[in-house]
Amino acid sequence: MPDEALEDTAAAVVNYNDSGMSLLEMSHRSQPIVDLMEETTGLVRHLLAVPDNYQIIWLQGGASTQFSMIPMNLLSENEIADYTDTGSWAAKAIKEAQAYGSVHVSCSTKSSIYNHINKDLQQSSKAIYLHITSNNTIYGTQWKTFPDTLNPEGYLVVDMSSDILSRPLDFNSIGLIYAGAQKNMGPAGVTMVIIRDDILGKLDRHIPTMLDYRTHIDKGSAFNTPPVSAIFVVNRTLRWLNDLGGVQVIEKKNMTKADKLYAEIERNLLFKSPISEEDQSPMNVPFVFAENGDEKEFLDFCAERGLLTLKGHRSVGGFRASIYNAMPEAGVDALIAAMQEYESQRS
Ligand code: PMP
């Protein structure tokens, strides 16, 4: 997370805006917090150029709750939704949706351990929506451009948990996007959902009040107690991004970081990327030993240089550098230097 956001949070936890109260003690109905929520939503609308016919809400339960909430609100039992199986999170979304309607899997790269995205989709012409995971956090693949829906009336539902606010977004075919905050937006504890007005209210199924998007839209994300402290950190992260120049600027910075790291993985004789080049994610960069190597030894070598949490996800092994928005270029440079030092020691 950006240092500025952490410093502001530390100060606010002790004394919120000179109120003599801690951020952690503030009521969500108090004016400063009402203002905070409004500013935070406004920053998202500004940074992503969210059109007026989309609502932005803040929920709890993580992106994982959205795997159920989406079909519960948007898909009736006798309707079809297309889903793309591009990673473990996508597969979890598929599993949950199956309880609410007919789920048609348009592509799957599971048999090749999700090392690329199959963009040749088999869509059903009647699908209400097409679900994609824009960035596959564990495997390090990203949809560089979003696919079109085959059904002209259909819309995209996009899990952007691990690349939200990393690049500009075209809302043209988007019905709903969702993202847990804990990568590019702030800490865990709050999930953002952006929904086009017209897609709601079309089903006659009973939806529990807390799981109905309309509840949270109607009450400005304060139907019940929102996670105020997490939203504060999101606010300061968004302010940081805005001051930096917004998503166009961060996209360039992200590409600079990713390009140099992928170039080093390509050049370094010890490592290789398991991911097909055209789908490589600028957010999560997995790499493995080109031949045999001692993973623990390299992780220890990195840790000695202050480079932590580089272990790949347990389902794929190897290494993964998550270089989200707030990771400075110097962090990537330090990893590249460590990879080069390790290589020279081994040859
Ligand atoms: N989708 C994606 C793409 C993710 O990366 C994650 C979490 N890493 C999730 C969904 C699940 O998010 P949460 O833990 O907030 O439920």
Side-chain angles (χ1 to χ4, degrees):
M1 282 191 260
D3 289 343
E4 291 88 332
L6 297 179
E7 282 155 16
D8 273 10
T9 304
V13 164
V14 178
N15 184 358
Y16 191 87
N17 276 359
D18 285 329
S19 64
M21 283 180 78
S22 164
L23 165 66
L24 308 180
E25 300 169 317
M26 305 284 294
S27 160
H28 61 292
R29 308 268 175 227
S30 65
Q31 198 55 46
I33 299 302
V34 171
D35 294 345
L36 173 80
M37 301 230 348
E38 221 178 275
E39 185 197 331
T40 310
T41 303
L43 277 165
V44 172
R45 195 172 287 284
H46 169 68
L47 285 164
L48 287 177
V50 181
D52 288 344
N53 59 327
Y54 288 77
Q55 305 296 328
I56 302 166
I57 53 175
W58 304 95
L59 305 178
Q60 298 187 65
S64 300
T65 298
Q66 295 310 308
F67 297 160
S68 306
M69 240 172 118
I70 287 161
M72 193 186 291
N73 281 264
L74 303 178
L75 184 67
S76 74
E77 268 162 46
N78 48 18
E79 288 174 328
I80 304 171
D82 281 328
Y83 274 72
T84 50
D85 181 21
T86 56
S88 308
W89 298 112
K92 286 183 174 152
I94 291 170
K95 178 172 177 278
E96 294 304 314
Q98 282 161 343
Y100 299 96
S102 181
V103 171
H104 174 250
V105 178
S106 302
C107 72
S108 177
T109 38
K110 188 174 182 191
S111 60
S112 51
I113 323 179
Y114 298 119
N115 67 358
H116 66 288
I117 291 177
N118 179 358
K119 289 160 228 89
D120 180 22
L121 302 184
Q122 308 299 314
Q123 298 188 54
S124 51
S125 57
K126 295 202 174 105
I128 300 293
Y129 62 80
L130 168 66
H131 180 279
I132 65 168
T133 310
S134 61
N135 187 75
N136 296 283
T137 323
I138 294 174
Y139 302 93
T141 60
Q142 187 190 51
W143 287 91
K144 306 287 160 153
T145 53
F146 292 171
D148 292 323
T149 58
L150 179 62
N151 177 2
E153 311 276 292
Y155 52 84
L156 287 178
V157 171
V158 192
D159 178 355
M160 298 200 74
S161 292
S162 54
D163 66 351
I164 188 83
L165 291 158
S166 69
R167 52 176 171 164
L169 243 177
D170 175 2
F171 276 88
N172 240 328
S173 54
I174 288 178
L176 184 150
I177 66 176
Y178 62 106
Q182 66 269 22
K183 271 93 179 173
N184 273 340
M185 275 194 298
V190 65
T191 303
M192 182 180 74
V193 183
I194 305 181
I195 315 170
R196 206 173 73 200
D197 290 329
D198 62 290
I199 66 174
L200 294 173
K202 297 202 165 162
L203 310 186
D204 47 22
R205 154 187 306 135
H206 168 75
I207 303 172
T209 307
M210 274 298 286
L211 299 178
D212 190 330
Y213 289 122
R214 290 168 299 182
T215 304
H216 303 284
I217 291 171
D218 291 349
K219 299 289 179 197
S221 304
F223 169 76
N224 72 322
T225 318
V228 168
S229 53
I231 292 171
F232 178 88
V233 190
V234 171
N235 176 281
R236 292 310 194 256
T237 306
L238 297 177
R239 279 193 188 177
W240 164 83
L241 181 56
N242 197 32
D243 291 348
L244 209 66
V247 286
Q248 279 84 2
V249 171
I250 204 77
E251 181 183 37
K252 282 208 189 85
K253 287 181 184 287
N254 287 333
M255 291 322 295
T256 305
K257 289 185 292 179
D259 285 349
K260 22 165 113 162
L261 186 50
Y262 282 112
E264 174 59 18
I265 293 167
E266 181 72 27
R267 188 213 58 78
N268 195 306
L269 296 174
L270 295 181
F271 303 106
K272 65 174 185 186
S273 167
I275 299 305
S276 99
E277 198 178 330
E278 65 174 30
D279 300 323
Q280 284 171 339
S281 162
M283 298 278 99
N284 308 98
V285 182
F287 53 102
V288 293
F289 280 123
E291 287 163 21
N292 289 339
D294 182 341
E295 290 183 358
K296 183 172 182 312
E297 186 188 82
F298 179 64
L299 288 170
D300 290 345
F301 182 89
C302 288
E304 280 161 23
R305 286 152 186 79
L307 298 160
L308 306 172
T309 61
L310 283 162
K311 196 170 169 11
H313 191 271
R314 60 189 179 282
S315 60
V316 275
F319 314 103
R320 178 177 50 156
S322 288
I323 50 174
Y324 295 116
N325 281 358
M327 170 60 71
E329 194 175 337
V332 174
D333 291 340
L335 173 58
I336 291 171
M339 291 165 78
Q340 293 175 348
E341 194 188 339
Y342 195 68
E343 182 189 34
S344 64
Q345 280 188 14
R346 292 283 159 299
S347 49

